[in-house]
Amino acid sequence: MNIVAHNHQSRELFSSKISRFLEEFHVGRILQACNAYKVRGFSVKDVFQVAFENAFSSKSFFQKQREPSTSIPFAKDTFYRFMNSSSINWRNFTLQLSSAVIQKIEPLTNEKRRNVLIIDDSLFSRARAKKVELLAKVYDHVEHKYTKGFRMLTLGWSDGNSFLPLSQCLLSSAERENRLQEASSDIDARAMGANCVNWRRPRLPV
């Protein structure tokens, strides 16, 4: 019983810290600016907080919801509708939140340190996927072989000690023969998914 109580207290403390973080950086306001809203029911910030906490857990939302000590006030449909919403501009959300955090910690950085922007091109593997839109064969430079997935392009900020992602996107292949699943033909060019469709890998000079 003591172990259960201790774990419960740890979760409560962790949840409290996340709640303070969301309040300090006005995450609710940022979500609203990025087109994340709910017509009725629980606030979008409450749903986001559960999703944020879930990212630090080794269990899925469904598993956590079934735990007797977990008090998630809304049903799983509310959570999955929020996570699958195509109207939320998550890239803009990441940029705004990271900018707010940088403004908070940048004055604490030693003047001798240099602030830099870092561009990273990593593999986002979806080896078991079959019908994911724009799924492609991409080369894994670690395993030295092709696998199914995307290239994940990330722009980040660093002061030499901390790293914060500013923006990111999943890139498919520009080569038709490497794409295993095509995108919908009626995709809106203004949609965020169009960034992946229209991507072309730049040719580097020899």
Side-chain angles (χ1 to χ4, degrees):
M1 294 298 293
N2 291 334
I3 296 178
V4 174
H6 174 73
N7 290 339
H8 178 71
Q9 291 175 358
S10 298
R11 283 195 297 268
E12 289 292 328
L13 179 60
F14 178 67
S15 181
S16 176
K17 289 182 178 180
I18 288 182
S19 183
R20 288 200 301 271
F21 172 84
L22 300 184
E23 290 291 338
E24 180 176 358
F25 293 101
H26 308 289
V27 171
R29 189 185 306 168
I30 296 176
L31 283 167
Q32 186 176 9
C34 297
N35 206 34
Y37 61 88
K38 283 176 57 55
V39 177
R40 59 183 181 274
F42 297 92
S43 70
V44 69
K45 193 180 76 169
D46 292 339
V47 182
F48 176 81
Q49 179 168 346
V50 172
F52 194 81
E53 292 178 9
N54 198 57
F56 296 92
S57 173
S58 59
K59 298 180 180 180
S60 66
F61 173 82
F62 178 74
Q63 290 173 321
K64 290 186 65 176
Q65 193 181 40
R66 292 172 63 90
E67 291 180 352
S69 59
T70 303
S71 56
I72 298 177
F74 46 81
K76 59 181 177 62
D77 290 346
T78 301
F79 177 81
Y80 290 123
R81 277 197 301 267
F82 172 77
M83 295 301 295
N84 294 328
S85 174
S86 59
S87 64
I88 304 175
N89 192 336
W90 289 114
R91 292 178 64 182
N92 188 27
F93 173 81
T94 304
L95 179 61
Q96 290 198 41
L97 180 57
S98 296
S99 298
V101 176
I102 290 172
Q103 292 178 22
K104 186 79 171 182
I105 66 176
E106 199 275 335
L108 306 177
T109 304
N110 191 304
E111 294 182 356
K112 295 181 180 180
R113 288 184 178 271
R114 291 186 177 181
N115 298 331
V116 297
L117 294 176
I118 299 173
I119 298 177
D120 179 68
D121 179 20
S122 300
L123 169 68
F124 186 83
S125 177
R126 294 296 302 272
R128 297 184 179 182
K130 294 181 179 180
K131 294 185 178 182
V132 176
E133 196 171 38
L134 288 174
L135 185 69
K137 291 189 297 182
V138 292
Y139 189 73
D140 186 347
H141 293 279
V142 177
E143 299 291 337
H144 300 289
K145 64 180 182 180
Y146 280 91
T147 186
K148 292 189 293 184
F150 302 90
R151 304 303 307 179
M152 184 169 65
L153 187 64
T154 302
L155 173 67
W157 171 91
S158 177
D159 60 359
N161 183 52
S162 304
F163 175 84
L164 288 172
L166 298 175
S167 184
Q168 66 287 317
C169 61
L170 294 179
L171 307 178
S172 184
S173 175
E175 305 297 332
R176 174 64 185 85
E177 58 271 18
N178 288 336
R179 294 199 297 271
L180 305 175
Q181 185 72 27
E182 284 300 317
S184 301
S185 57
D186 58 346
I187 187 169
D188 190 334
R190 297 168 298 177
M192 289 175 285
N195 295 329
C196 193
V197 178
N198 297 327
W199 174 73
R200 295 292 184 271
R201 181 184 292 277
R203 297 187 180 275
L204 300 178
V206 178

